[in-house]
């Protein structure tokens, strides 16, 4: 570790790799609401935040655990789930009077076609304006056709491996080949406000 009379210890969250203070500074100076997307190993969280000197305020939020209320039986952090959570958060933001927001993806390196952009596309499709460039969204991946095609192929080739890989889908009562139609059902359920 460097030392000497001119060495300054970086902030703790910077040392831990949790906060990019330069990017955070630009959000604070702009005073714009921001849509924060975080993807964990199991879930997706989309929040609308507003800067406050005492600590950021969470205006609205949506979590992938909530998708069960709308009938979702698929994984809770795949591309389809990211879109649905973003769409749900966007509807809640519109209800709270938020019409525009800046995208805050944290320390994530923006990669074309990443799941984080599926969540942002859900926010945009719900009616909230988020300035985005070319994000490389594949509509087949959005509705889960890639999963359905893989499941169909795997079921024909190796039945045991199919049951192991898609055990969570099957235990919830969803055949992964039906994921695209299931996605549309859940999206319509979110649009109509639940069951």
């Amino acid at each position: 570790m460097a030392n000497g009379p001119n060495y300054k210890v970086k902030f703790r969250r910077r040392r831990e790799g949790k906060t990019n203070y330069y990017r955070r500074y630009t959000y604070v100076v702009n005073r714009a609401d921001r849509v924060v997307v975080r993807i964990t190993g199991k879930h997706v969280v989309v929040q609308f935040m507003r800067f406050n000197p005492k600590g950021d305020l969470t205006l609205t939020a949506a979590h992938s655990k909530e998708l069960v209320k709308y009938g979702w039986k698929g994984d809770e952090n795949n591309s389809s789930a990211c879109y649905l959570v973003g769409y749900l958060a966007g509807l809640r933001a519109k209800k709270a009077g938020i019409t525009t927001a800046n995208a805050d993806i944290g320390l994530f390196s923006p990669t074309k076609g990443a799941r984080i952009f599926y969540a942002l596309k859900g926010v945009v499709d719900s009616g909230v304006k988020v300035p985005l460039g070319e994000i490389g969204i594949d509509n087949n991946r959005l509705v889960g056709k890639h999963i359905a095609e893989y499941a169909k192929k795997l079921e024909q080739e190796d039945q045991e491996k199919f049951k192991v890989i898609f055990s969570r889908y099957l235990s919830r009562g969803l055949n992964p080949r039906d994921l695209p139609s299931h996605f549309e059902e859940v999206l319509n359920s979110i649009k109509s406000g639940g069951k």
Side-chain angles (χ1 to χ4, degrees), residues 37-45 63-64 76-78 115:
V37 180
R38 298 294 181 262
I39 299 175
T40 69
K42 292 184 178 180
H43 299 287
V44 181
V45 182
H63 196 284
S64 58
E76 293 173 327
N77 71 345
N78 62 14
R115 288 179 298 164

PDB file of all heavy atoms in Angstrom, residues 37-45 63-64 76-78 115:
ATOM      1  N   VAL A  37     -30.991  -0.222 -10.976  1.00  0.00           N
ATOM      2  CA  VAL A  37     -31.227  -1.645 -11.265  1.00  0.00           C
ATOM      3  C   VAL A  37     -30.074  -2.445 -10.667  1.00  0.00           C
ATOM      4  O   VAL A  37     -28.917  -2.168 -10.941  1.00  0.00           O
ATOM      5  CB  VAL A  37     -31.308  -1.906 -12.783  1.00  0.00           C
ATOM      6  CG1 VAL A  37     -31.558  -3.374 -13.052  1.00  0.00           C
ATOM      7  CG2 VAL A  37     -32.378  -1.055 -13.415  1.00  0.00           C
ATOM      8  N   ARG A  38     -30.433  -3.438  -9.844  1.00  0.00           N
ATOM      9  CA  ARG A  38     -29.429  -4.328  -9.267  1.00  0.00           C
ATOM     10  C   ARG A  38     -29.875  -5.768  -9.476  1.00  0.00           C
ATOM     11  O   ARG A  38     -31.027  -6.112  -9.200  1.00  0.00           O
ATOM     12  CB  ARG A  38     -29.245  -4.064  -7.772  1.00  0.00           C
ATOM     13  CG  ARG A  38     -28.745  -2.650  -7.452  1.00  0.00           C
ATOM     14  CD  ARG A  38     -27.339  -2.406  -7.965  1.00  0.00           C
ATOM     15  NE  ARG A  38     -26.857  -1.078  -7.631  1.00  0.00           N
ATOM     16  CZ  ARG A  38     -26.876  -0.031  -8.449  1.00  0.00           C
ATOM     17  NH1 ARG A  38     -27.376  -0.157  -9.668  1.00  0.00           N
ATOM     18  NH2 ARG A  38     -26.403   1.128  -8.076  1.00  0.00           N
ATOM     19  N   ILE A  39     -28.957  -6.603  -9.942  1.00  0.00           N
ATOM     20  CA  ILE A  39     -29.234  -8.018 -10.171  1.00  0.00           C
ATOM     21  C   ILE A  39     -28.326  -8.822  -9.251  1.00  0.00           C
ATOM     22  O   ILE A  39     -27.103  -8.673  -9.289  1.00  0.00           O
ATOM     23  CB  ILE A  39     -28.989  -8.406 -11.643  1.00  0.00           C
ATOM     24  CG1 ILE A  39     -29.920  -7.598 -12.555  1.00  0.00           C
ATOM     25  CG2 ILE A  39     -29.202  -9.896 -11.851  1.00  0.00           C
ATOM     26  CD1 ILE A  39     -29.693  -7.815 -14.023  1.00  0.00           C
ATOM     27  N   THR A  40     -28.940  -9.653  -8.407  1.00  0.00           N
ATOM     28  CA  THR A  40     -28.171 -10.513  -7.508  1.00  0.00           C
ATOM     29  C   THR A  40     -28.110 -11.906  -8.117  1.00  0.00           C
ATOM     30  O   THR A  40     -28.555 -12.122  -9.246  1.00  0.00           O
ATOM     31  CB  THR A  40     -28.840 -10.574  -6.118  1.00  0.00           C
ATOM     32  OG1 THR A  40     -30.072 -11.294  -6.221  1.00  0.00           O
ATOM     33  CG2 THR A  40     -29.101  -9.183  -5.569  1.00  0.00           C
ATOM     34  N   GLY A  41     -27.617 -12.855  -7.377  1.00  0.00           N
ATOM     35  CA  GLY A  41     -27.543 -14.225  -7.858  1.00  0.00           C
ATOM     36  C   GLY A  41     -28.907 -14.867  -8.054  1.00  0.00           C
ATOM     37  O   GLY A  41     -29.051 -15.803  -8.820  1.00  0.00           O
ATOM     38  N   LYS A  42     -29.927 -14.356  -7.351  1.00  0.00           N
ATOM     39  CA  LYS A  42     -31.251 -14.949  -7.426  1.00  0.00           C
ATOM     40  C   LYS A  42     -32.347 -13.971  -7.827  1.00  0.00           C
ATOM     41  O   LYS A  42     -33.402 -14.404  -8.283  1.00  0.00           O
ATOM     42  CB  LYS A  42     -31.634 -15.552  -6.072  1.00  0.00           C
ATOM     43  CG  LYS A  42     -30.833 -16.760  -5.677  1.00  0.00           C
ATOM     44  CD  LYS A  42     -31.362 -17.328  -4.383  1.00  0.00           C
ATOM     45  CE  LYS A  42     -30.587 -18.585  -4.007  1.00  0.00           C
ATOM     46  NZ  LYS A  42     -31.090 -19.156  -2.758  1.00  0.00           N
ATOM     47  N   HIS A  43     -32.148 -12.692  -7.627  1.00  0.00           N
ATOM     48  CA  HIS A  43     -33.253 -11.745  -7.776  1.00  0.00           C
ATOM     49  C   HIS A  43     -32.863 -10.506  -8.581  1.00  0.00           C
ATOM     50  O   HIS A  43     -31.694 -10.275  -8.865  1.00  0.00           O
ATOM     51  CB  HIS A  43     -33.756 -11.303  -6.397  1.00  0.00           C
ATOM     52  CG  HIS A  43     -34.271 -12.419  -5.569  1.00  0.00           C
ATOM     53  ND1 HIS A  43     -35.463 -13.043  -5.817  1.00  0.00           N
ATOM     54  CD2 HIS A  43     -33.744 -13.046  -4.494  1.00  0.00           C
ATOM     55  CE1 HIS A  43     -35.664 -13.994  -4.928  1.00  0.00           C
ATOM     56  NE2 HIS A  43     -34.621 -14.029  -4.119  1.00  0.00           N
ATOM     57  N   VAL A  44     -33.897  -9.706  -8.881  1.00  0.00           N
ATOM     58  CA  VAL A  44     -33.733  -8.426  -9.566  1.00  0.00           C
ATOM     59  C   VAL A  44     -34.456  -7.375  -8.731  1.00  0.00           C
ATOM     60  O   VAL A  44     -35.580  -7.617  -8.270  1.00  0.00           O
ATOM     61  CB  VAL A  44     -34.366  -8.452 -10.972  1.00  0.00           C
ATOM     62  CG1 VAL A  44     -34.172  -7.129 -11.671  1.00  0.00           C
ATOM     63  CG2 VAL A  44     -33.802  -9.581 -11.788  1.00  0.00           C
ATOM     64  N   VAL A  45     -33.823  -6.228  -8.538  1.00  0.00           N
ATOM     65  CA  VAL A  45     -34.443  -5.130  -7.806  1.00  0.00           C
ATOM     66  C   VAL A  45     -34.352  -3.878  -8.670  1.00  0.00           C
ATOM     67  O   VAL A  45     -33.278  -3.552  -9.187  1.00  0.00           O
ATOM     68  CB  VAL A  45     -33.734  -4.869  -6.457  1.00  0.00           C
ATOM     69  CG1 VAL A  45     -34.419  -3.755  -5.695  1.00  0.00           C
ATOM     70  CG2 VAL A  45     -33.656  -6.129  -5.627  1.00  0.00           C
ATOM     71  N   HIS A  63     -39.490  -5.755  -6.783  1.00  0.00           N
ATOM     72  CA  HIS A  63     -38.575  -6.866  -6.534  1.00  0.00           C
ATOM     73  C   HIS A  63     -39.100  -8.095  -7.259  1.00  0.00           C
ATOM     74  O   HIS A  63     -40.309  -8.284  -7.373  1.00  0.00           O
ATOM     75  CB  HIS A  63     -38.496  -7.116  -5.026  1.00  0.00           C
ATOM     76  CG  HIS A  63     -37.332  -7.950  -4.602  1.00  0.00           C
ATOM     77  ND1 HIS A  63     -37.298  -9.312  -4.794  1.00  0.00           N
ATOM     78  CD2 HIS A  63     -36.167  -7.623  -3.995  1.00  0.00           C
ATOM     79  CE1 HIS A  63     -36.161  -9.791  -4.320  1.00  0.00           C
ATOM     80  NE2 HIS A  63     -35.453  -8.779  -3.825  1.00  0.00           N
ATOM     81  N   SER A  64     -38.196  -8.934  -7.724  1.00  0.00           N
ATOM     82  CA  SER A  64     -38.633 -10.105  -8.494  1.00  0.00           C
ATOM     83  C   SER A  64     -39.447 -11.093  -7.662  1.00  0.00           C
ATOM     84  O   SER A  64     -40.197 -11.891  -8.212  1.00  0.00           O
ATOM     85  CB  SER A  64     -37.427 -10.804  -9.129  1.00  0.00           C
ATOM     86  OG  SER A  64     -36.505 -11.191  -8.148  1.00  0.00           O
ATOM     87  N   GLU A  76     -36.246 -16.095 -11.256  1.00  0.00           N
ATOM     88  CA  GLU A  76     -36.497 -14.735 -10.784  1.00  0.00           C
ATOM     89  C   GLU A  76     -35.417 -13.743 -11.179  1.00  0.00           C
ATOM     90  O   GLU A  76     -35.444 -12.599 -10.747  1.00  0.00           O
ATOM     91  CB  GLU A  76     -36.674 -14.754  -9.269  1.00  0.00           C
ATOM     92  CG  GLU A  76     -37.931 -15.499  -8.860  1.00  0.00           C
ATOM     93  CD  GLU A  76     -38.047 -15.677  -7.373  1.00  0.00           C
ATOM     94  OE1 GLU A  76     -36.996 -15.814  -6.706  1.00  0.00           O
ATOM     95  OE2 GLU A  76     -39.178 -15.680  -6.874  1.00  0.00           O
ATOM     96  N   ASN A  77     -34.450 -14.172 -12.010  1.00  0.00           N
ATOM     97  CA  ASN A  77     -33.438 -13.199 -12.450  1.00  0.00           C
ATOM     98  C   ASN A  77     -33.018 -13.401 -13.900  1.00  0.00           C
ATOM     99  O   ASN A  77     -31.962 -12.931 -14.301  1.00  0.00           O
ATOM    100  CB  ASN A  77     -32.225 -13.213 -11.530  1.00  0.00           C
ATOM    101  CG  ASN A  77     -31.390 -14.462 -11.676  1.00  0.00           C
ATOM    102  OD1 ASN A  77     -31.819 -15.452 -12.248  1.00  0.00           O
ATOM    103  ND2 ASN A  77     -30.190 -14.419 -11.148  1.00  0.00           N
ATOM    104  N   ASN A  78     -33.851 -14.082 -14.705  1.00  0.00           N
ATOM    105  CA  ASN A  78     -33.505 -14.205 -16.115  1.00  0.00           C
ATOM    106  C   ASN A  78     -33.982 -12.966 -16.880  1.00  0.00           C
ATOM    107  O   ASN A  78     -34.562 -12.042 -16.294  1.00  0.00           O
ATOM    108  CB  ASN A  78     -34.062 -15.503 -16.719  1.00  0.00           C
ATOM    109  CG  ASN A  78     -35.575 -15.586 -16.695  1.00  0.00           C
ATOM    110  OD1 ASN A  78     -36.263 -14.600 -16.479  1.00  0.00           O
ATOM    111  ND2 ASN A  78     -36.095 -16.767 -16.915  1.00  0.00           N
ATOM    112  N   ARG A 115     -28.670  -8.321 -19.080  1.00  0.00           N
ATOM    113  CA  ARG A 115     -29.972  -8.405 -18.405  1.00  0.00           C
ATOM    114  C   ARG A 115     -30.399  -7.084 -17.778  1.00  0.00           C
ATOM    115  O   ARG A 115     -31.581  -6.781 -17.692  1.00  0.00           O
ATOM    116  CB  ARG A 115     -29.934  -9.474 -17.316  1.00  0.00           C
ATOM    117  CG  ARG A 115     -29.898 -10.874 -17.852  1.00  0.00           C
ATOM    118  CD  ARG A 115     -29.832 -11.875 -16.739  1.00  0.00           C
ATOM    119  NE  ARG A 115     -28.602 -11.688 -15.976  1.00  0.00           N
ATOM    120  CZ  ARG A 115     -28.383 -12.186 -14.775  1.00  0.00           C
ATOM    121  NH1 ARG A 115     -29.291 -12.906 -14.176  1.00  0.00           N
ATOM    122  NH2 ARG A 115     -27.239 -11.980 -14.163  1.00  0.00           N
TER     123      ARG A 115
END
